[in-house]
Amino acid sequence: MADMHRQNIDAVSGVPTTGHDWDGIRELNNPLPRWWLWTFYACIAWAVVYWVLFPAWPLVTGYTYGLLGWKSREAIQSDLAQLRGQRAAFADKLAAASLPEIEQNPELLAFARAQGRAAFGDNCAPCHGAGAAGTKGYPNLNDDDWLWGGTLDQIHATIQHGARSADADAHVGDMPAFGRDGMLPRPDIGAVADYVRHLAGLAPAPGADLAKGGEVFAANCAACHGAEGKGNQELGAPNLTDPIWLYGSDRATIIQTISNGRAGLMPAWKGRLDDGTLKALTVYVHTLGGGL
C-alpha cells in the first residue's frame, strides 16, 4: 500500500497524480483554487437569473422577453425622448431663428455647431470624411472653393436638395462626355487638357499646342467654365484656374474627365432630417473655415 502511494506521487513536484498516464506522461492532481470555483459557480447562478429576468433565448419566431419585460428598443427610445426634452428649448429657438441670427447668437451658434457636428458624423462623413476634408470626387468643405456657392443660403439649399438627386429643386448640371459621345477627337481632348493645366499654372506636356487648346476651350468649355476658366456656381462648373481639383490635376485625369464627363451625386437631406438639424448642419459646414 505504501509502495502504491509512492507511485502516485510525482517525483519532481511531489504532487499526487490522478492516475492518468499517456505515453509515460502523468497528470498532476492540482485542483483549482476554491475562490476561483466559487466565482465560477456564482457566474453560473447569475446567468440563470439573467435568463429568467431579461430577454435572452432566441426562439423560432422571436425570443424570451424575461419576467421584467425590459426591451432595449424601448430603453433607447426613452433615452432619446429624455435627450430631446433636454434640448427642446434650444431646438425650438434654432428652428425659429434665421441662419444669420443663429451665427450671431453665441449660445445658438454653440448649440448648432454641436448638433451639426453630430449630424455630420452620422450622415456626411462617409463621403466628406470625419474632418470634412473630402477625398477624390468628394469636395473638401474646409476650403473656400465651392461648386454651388459657400454662403449660408447656398449651403442650406445644397444640403436640402442635393445635387443631381431626385429632388425637384436639386442642383443640376453635368460635365459632358466629349470623347465618349464623339463630340471631340482625341487630339483636341489632349490639346484642351494641356490648356486647362496652363490656366491653372501647371506645366503642359512637352510640345503642347496651347493655341489649339485655347480654341477648343473657347468653343466647347467656356460656356460653362467662363472664357477665363473661372467657373460658374450657378451651373456647378468649377474654377479651373485655382490649385483645387476635385478629381485630380494630372494630365491623364483631366483627359479622362473631358472624355467621359463627371456627374457626381449628392443626396437631398430634406425629409430625411428635420429643419432644425438641416440648419445646424448648414451652420456647422459654414463655420468649418470655408464658408463665405
Side-chain angles (χ1 to χ4, degrees), residues 91-177:
D92 292 343
K93 291 180 181 179
L94 189 69
S98 67
L99 293 169
E101 287 173 345
I102 294 171
E103 288 202 347
Q104 293 166 9
N105 185 312
E107 288 186 338
L108 273 182
L109 176 60
F111 178 79
R113 281 184 55 82
Q115 183 176 349
R117 184 185 299 108
F120 188 93
D122 290 341
N123 301 283
C124 313
C127 291
H128 293 283
T135 186
K136 186 174 182 179
Y138 300 97
N140 181 355
L141 304 179
N142 297 291
D143 59 32
D144 59 358
D145 197 74
W146 298 84
L147 290 177
W148 307 99
T151 66
L152 276 169
D153 288 337
Q154 288 169 330
I155 295 173
H156 191 234
T158 300
I159 295 173
Q160 279 187 303
H161 307 297
R164 307 178 190 90
S165 68
D167 191 290
D169 295 319
H171 295 308
V172 294
D174 295 335
M175 167 79 183

Side-chain angles (χ1 to χ4, degrees), residues 155-162 266-270 278 281-282 285:
I155 295 173
H156 191 234
T158 300
I159 295 173
Q160 279 187 303
H161 307 297
M266 175 176 169
W269 293 101
K270 184 179 180 180
L278 291 173
L281 262 176
T282 299
V285 171

Side-chain angles (χ1 to χ4, degrees), residues 55-274:
W57 289 96
L59 304 175
V60 176
T61 59
Y63 56 91
T64 58
Y65 291 98
L67 295 180
L68 296 181
W70 182 89
K71 296 180 178 66
S72 59
R73 183 179 295 275
E74 292 180 357
I76 292 173
Q77 290 175 342
S78 175
D79 290 343
L80 289 175
Q82 183 179 0
L83 180 61
R84 283 192 290 268
Q86 294 173 351
R87 293 178 173 176
F90 274 108
D92 292 343
K93 291 180 181 179
L94 189 69
S98 67
L99 293 169
E101 287 173 345
I102 294 171
E103 288 202 347
Q104 293 166 9
N105 185 312
E107 288 186 338
L108 273 182
L109 176 60
F111 178 79
R113 281 184 55 82
Q115 183 176 349
R117 184 185 299 108
F120 188 93
D122 290 341
N123 301 283
C124 313
C127 291
H128 293 283
T135 186
K136 186 174 182 179
Y138 300 97
N140 181 355
L141 304 179
N142 297 291
D143 59 32
D144 59 358
D145 197 74
W146 298 84
L147 290 177
W148 307 99
T151 66
L152 276 169
D153 288 337
Q154 288 169 330
I155 295 173
H156 191 234
T158 300
I159 295 173
Q160 279 187 303
H161 307 297
R164 307 178 190 90
S165 68
D167 191 290
D169 295 319
H171 295 308
V172 294
D174 295 335
M175 167 79 183
F178 287 99
R180 187 185 64 208
D181 295 343
M183 289 184 282
L184 288 176
R186 188 165 183 81
D188 286 4
I189 292 175
V192 76
D194 287 321
Y195 182 76
V196 168
R197 285 176 55 83
H198 168 71
L199 286 176
L202 302 171
D209 189 346
L210 296 181
K212 176 64 175 177
E215 293 175 2
V216 175
F217 185 91
N220 298 275
C221 313
C224 292
H225 293 281
E228 298 179 353
K230 297 291 186 180
N232 185 339
Q233 290 181 350
E234 292 183 1
L235 301 175
N239 182 354
L240 303 176
T241 66
D242 61 26
I244 299 173
W245 295 80
L246 188 56
Y247 293 95
S249 61
D250 60 281
R251 189 173 188 269
T253 299
I254 295 175
I255 287 176
Q256 182 184 34
T257 298
I258 298 170
S259 299
N260 300 315
R262 300 290 185 185
L265 185 146
M266 175 176 169
W269 293 101
K270 184 179 180 180
R272 302 187 190 187
L273 301 175
D274 60 79

